[in-house]
């Protein structure tokens, strides 16, 4: 398999990470608004280490959280892609789709556009049978992306994320799913 899958959409480039992405990625990971639905913002060192893990994942599996660039401007705006959650939950193992964009790039449809391309890759190139997505119950913007993509949510599958401290309002999570059949049957 191609270990450097480059994906394109009308407005975006989904590519492997570059050294120049580290500073803008650290900035968005330190932004309290971007990280509002996570237990904490990230330090630059943790942000850099995350990029290293993502890149190692691309080498190992041929997929991961792609760096997203606006094609017209060449500007790095965040990530959208696939990951394999490592905690324990009834719905795991599974492949998860996720997204995180810098605040100025919300409200342009970029996350949904990038994620549509990633789902196409997941089902058509990787041949996955299903992709899941999850977020804290409070994260309505992320759930709106899931709904636009055609994922569905069964409240019976809501769960407490083991890495979020007990008592935190961010601990309760929703689980959304989409099967390959549903993806291919979309209008
Ligand atoms: C989750 C997140 C990626 C969603 O971003 P978003 O901008 O709301 O979602 P999209 O990129 O799909 O954009 C959709 C919006 O762009 C608007 N839009 C503007 N131009 C558009 C265009 N050309 N095409 C499509 N939509 C467009 C849509 O109307 C919609 O607006 P609305 O939110 O007012 O309804 C973003 O909030 C984020 O990065 N959050 C922090 C990280 C995070 O929580 N990640 C998920 C954790 S699990």
């Amino acid at each position: 398999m191609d270990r450097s899958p480059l994906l394109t959409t009308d407005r975006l480039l989904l590519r492997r990470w570059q050294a120049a992405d580290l500073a803008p990625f650290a900035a968005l990971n330190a932004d309290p608004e971007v990280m509002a639905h996570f237990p904490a913002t990230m330090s630059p060192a943790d942000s850099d280490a995350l990029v290293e893990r993502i890149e190692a994942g691309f080498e190992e599996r041929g997929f991961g959280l792609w760096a997203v660039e606006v094609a017209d401007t060449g500007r790095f705006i965040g990530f959208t892609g696939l990951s394999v959650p490592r905690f324990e939950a009834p719905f795991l193992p599974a492949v998860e789709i996720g997204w995180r964009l810098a605040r100025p790039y919300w409200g342009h449809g970029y996350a949904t556009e990038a994620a549509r391309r990633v789902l196409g890759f997941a089902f058509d190139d990787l041949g996955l049978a299903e992709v899941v997505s999850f977020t804290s119950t409070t994260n309505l913007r992320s759930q709106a992306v899931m709904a636009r993509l055609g994922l569905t949510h069964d409240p019976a599958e809501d769960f407490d994320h083991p890495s979020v401290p007990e008592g935190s309002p961010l601990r309760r999570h929703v689980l959304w799913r989409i099967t390959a059949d549903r993806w291919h049957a979309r209008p």
Side-chain angles (χ1 to χ4, degrees):
M1 183 188 298
D2 179 4
R3 295 282 165 197
S4 310
L6 175 72
L7 306 179
T8 57
T9 72
D10 286 348
R11 296 181 294 171
L12 304 170
L13 216 58
L14 279 64
R15 56 160 175 75
R16 295 284 294 269
W17 292 70
Q18 301 171 353
D21 302 331
L22 294 179
F25 190 51
L28 76 86
N29 283 324
D31 179 343
E33 198 175 352
V34 171
M35 301 304 281
H37 303 281
F38 295 84
T41 56
M42 291 175 83
S43 69
D46 287 348
S47 177
D48 291 358
L50 174 55
V51 174
E52 261 189 47
R53 287 199 303 279
I54 294 169
E55 275 294 311
F58 271 109
E59 290 298 324
E60 190 186 319
R61 294 190 281 257
F63 66 82
L65 299 171
W66 280 265
V68 178
E69 179 178 312
V70 177
D72 272 358
T73 60
R75 200 164 282 244
F76 165 86
I77 63 169
F79 69 65
T80 300
L82 301 170
S83 60
V84 180
R86 282 178 298 180
F87 60 92
E88 285 195 19
F91 61 92
L92 297 175
V95 174
E96 176 203 5
I97 187 164
W99 32 74
R100 188 182 304 171
L101 303 183
R103 183 64 187 92
Y105 303 101
W106 298 7
H108 297 272
Y110 289 146
T112 302
E113 183 171 320
R116 275 205 183 100
R117 184 65 192 87
V118 168
L119 284 177
F121 181 84
F123 293 128
D124 298 334
D125 296 78
L126 297 177
L128 300 182
E130 186 174 54
V131 171
V132 304
S133 193
F134 52 83
T135 190
S136 74
T137 55
T138 55
N139 196 344
L140 301 182
R141 269 185 179 272
S142 191
Q143 292 180 63
V145 176
M146 296 171 196
R148 280 194 288 274
L149 293 168
L151 279 72
T152 54
H153 167 229
D154 178 355
E157 292 193 293
D158 289 0
F159 66 102
D160 290 331
H161 198 302
S163 345
V164 182
E166 276 181 47
S168 164
L170 303 178
R171 188 164 155 93
R172 196 71 184 154
H173 274 55
V174 286
L175 178 74
W176 291 63
R177 298 175 179 269
I178 185 164
T179 61
D181 286 348
R182 186 175 156 87
W183 173 252
H184 289 125
R186 72 197 186 284

